[in-house]
Short mmCIF file of all heavy atoms in Angstrom, two decimals:
data_model
loop_
_atom_site.label_atom_id
_atom_site.label_comp_id
_atom_site.label_asym_id
_atom_site.label_seq_id
_atom_site.Cartn_x
_atom_site.Cartn_y
_atom_site.Cartn_z
N VAL A 48 -46.75 -36.45 -63.47
CA VAL A 48 -46.77 -36.57 -62.01
C VAL A 48 -46.31 -35.26 -61.38
O VAL A 48 -47.01 -34.69 -60.54
CB VAL A 48 -45.86 -37.71 -61.54
CG1 VAL A 48 -45.84 -37.77 -60.01
CG2 VAL A 48 -46.33 -39.05 -62.12
N TYR A 59 -47.66 -30.05 -59.75
CA TYR A 59 -47.97 -31.44 -59.43
C TYR A 59 -49.35 -31.82 -59.96
O TYR A 59 -50.26 -31.00 -60.03
CB TYR A 59 -47.97 -31.65 -57.91
CG TYR A 59 -46.65 -31.42 -57.25
CD1 TYR A 59 -46.28 -30.17 -56.79
CD2 TYR A 59 -45.76 -32.48 -57.07
CE1 TYR A 59 -45.05 -29.97 -56.18
CE2 TYR A 59 -44.54 -32.29 -56.46
CZ TYR A 59 -44.20 -31.03 -56.01
OH TYR A 59 -42.97 -30.83 -55.40
N VAL A 63 -51.22 -36.45 -56.59
CA VAL A 63 -50.02 -36.63 -55.77
C VAL A 63 -49.74 -35.45 -54.85
O VAL A 63 -48.81 -35.50 -54.04
CB VAL A 63 -48.77 -36.90 -56.62
CG1 VAL A 63 -48.97 -38.14 -57.48
CG2 VAL A 63 -48.38 -35.69 -57.46
N GLY A 65 -49.34 -33.16 -51.91
CA GLY A 65 -49.26 -33.46 -50.48
C GLY A 65 -48.56 -34.77 -50.17
O GLY A 65 -48.25 -35.05 -49.01
N ARG A 66 -48.32 -35.58 -51.19
CA ARG A 66 -47.66 -36.88 -50.98
C ARG A 66 -46.30 -36.94 -51.66
O ARG A 66 -45.37 -37.56 -51.12
CB ARG A 66 -48.54 -38.01 -51.50
CG ARG A 66 -49.90 -38.12 -50.84
CD ARG A 66 -50.61 -39.41 -51.26
NE ARG A 66 -50.87 -39.46 -52.70
CZ ARG A 66 -50.50 -40.47 -53.48
NH1 ARG A 66 -49.83 -41.50 -52.97
NH2 ARG A 66 -50.79 -40.45 -54.78
N PHE A 67 -46.18 -36.36 -52.83
CA PHE A 67 -44.94 -36.42 -53.61
C PHE A 67 -44.29 -35.03 -53.63
O PHE A 67 -44.98 -34.01 -53.64
CB PHE A 67 -45.21 -36.83 -55.06
CG PHE A 67 -45.69 -38.25 -55.25
CD1 PHE A 67 -46.03 -39.06 -54.17
CD2 PHE A 67 -45.77 -38.78 -56.53
CE1 PHE A 67 -46.47 -40.36 -54.36
CE2 PHE A 67 -46.20 -40.06 -56.74
CZ PHE A 67 -46.55 -40.86 -55.66
N THR A 68 -42.96 -35.04 -53.69
CA THR A 68 -42.22 -33.79 -53.79
C THR A 68 -41.12 -33.94 -54.84
O THR A 68 -40.33 -34.89 -54.78
CB THR A 68 -41.57 -33.42 -52.45
OG1 THR A 68 -42.58 -33.32 -51.43
CG2 THR A 68 -40.84 -32.08 -52.56
N ILE A 69 -41.09 -33.00 -55.77
CA ILE A 69 -40.02 -32.98 -56.76
C ILE A 69 -38.98 -31.96 -56.32
O ILE A 69 -39.32 -30.88 -55.83
CB ILE A 69 -40.57 -32.67 -58.17
CG1 ILE A 69 -39.47 -32.89 -59.22
CG2 ILE A 69 -41.15 -31.28 -58.26
CD1 ILE A 69 -40.00 -32.89 -60.66
N LEU A 80 -37.70 -37.42 -57.07
CA LEU A 80 -39.12 -37.48 -56.77
C LEU A 80 -39.27 -38.27 -55.48
O LEU A 80 -39.08 -39.49 -55.46
CB LEU A 80 -39.91 -38.14 -57.90
CG LEU A 80 -41.43 -38.15 -57.70
CD1 LEU A 80 -41.97 -36.71 -57.79
CD2 LEU A 80 -42.12 -39.03 -58.74
N GLN A 81 -39.56 -37.56 -54.41
CA GLN A 81 -39.81 -38.21 -53.13
C GLN A 81 -41.28 -38.57 -53.06
O GLN A 81 -42.14 -37.69 -53.16
CB GLN A 81 -39.45 -37.28 -51.97
CG GLN A 81 -39.72 -37.85 -50.59
CD GLN A 81 -38.85 -39.04 -50.27
OE1 GLN A 81 -37.65 -39.04 -50.55
NE2 GLN A 81 -39.44 -40.08 -49.69
N MET A 82 -41.56 -39.85 -52.90
CA MET A 82 -42.94 -40.34 -52.90
C MET A 82 -43.26 -40.92 -51.53
O MET A 82 -42.64 -41.90 -51.11
CB MET A 82 -43.10 -41.40 -53.99
CG MET A 82 -42.70 -40.92 -55.37
SD MET A 82 -43.05 -42.12 -56.68
CE MET A 82 -41.92 -43.44 -56.24
N ASN A 83 -44.19 -40.30 -50.85
CA ASN A 83 -44.63 -40.75 -49.53
C ASN A 83 -46.08 -41.19 -49.59
O ASN A 83 -46.81 -40.87 -50.54
CB ASN A 83 -44.47 -39.63 -48.51
CG ASN A 83 -43.04 -39.18 -48.34
OD1 ASN A 83 -42.10 -39.96 -48.48
ND2 ASN A 83 -42.85 -37.90 -48.06
N LEU A 85 -47.51 -43.93 -50.27
CA LEU A 85 -47.81 -44.57 -51.55
C LEU A 85 -49.05 -45.46 -51.47
O LEU A 85 -49.32 -46.08 -50.43
CB LEU A 85 -46.60 -45.38 -52.00
CG LEU A 85 -45.47 -44.54 -52.60
CD1 LEU A 85 -44.15 -45.28 -52.58
CD2 LEU A 85 -45.83 -44.09 -54.01
N ASP A 89 -50.66 -46.03 -57.27
CA ASP A 89 -49.45 -45.37 -57.74
C ASP A 89 -48.54 -46.33 -58.51
O ASP A 89 -47.52 -45.91 -59.07
CB ASP A 89 -48.65 -44.81 -56.54
CG ASP A 89 -49.37 -43.67 -55.84
OD1 ASP A 89 -49.96 -42.82 -56.54
OD2 ASP A 89 -49.35 -43.64 -54.60
N TYR A 93 -42.42 -45.28 -63.97
CA TYR A 93 -42.15 -43.86 -63.85
C TYR A 93 -40.97 -43.51 -64.75
O TYR A 93 -39.92 -44.17 -64.71
CB TYR A 93 -41.83 -43.50 -62.40
CG TYR A 93 -43.07 -43.48 -61.52
CD1 TYR A 93 -43.71 -44.67 -61.19
CD2 TYR A 93 -43.58 -42.29 -61.03
CE1 TYR A 93 -44.86 -44.67 -60.40
CE2 TYR A 93 -44.72 -42.27 -60.23
CZ TYR A 93 -45.35 -43.46 -59.92
OH TYR A 93 -46.48 -43.45 -59.14
#
Side-chain angles (χ1 to χ4, degrees):
V48 177
Y59 296 89
V63 301
R66 299 190 298 126
F67 292 9
T68 303
I69 190 168
L80 184 68
Q81 178 66 43
M82 304 186 294
N83 299 328
L85 282 160
D89 293 319
Y93 285 71

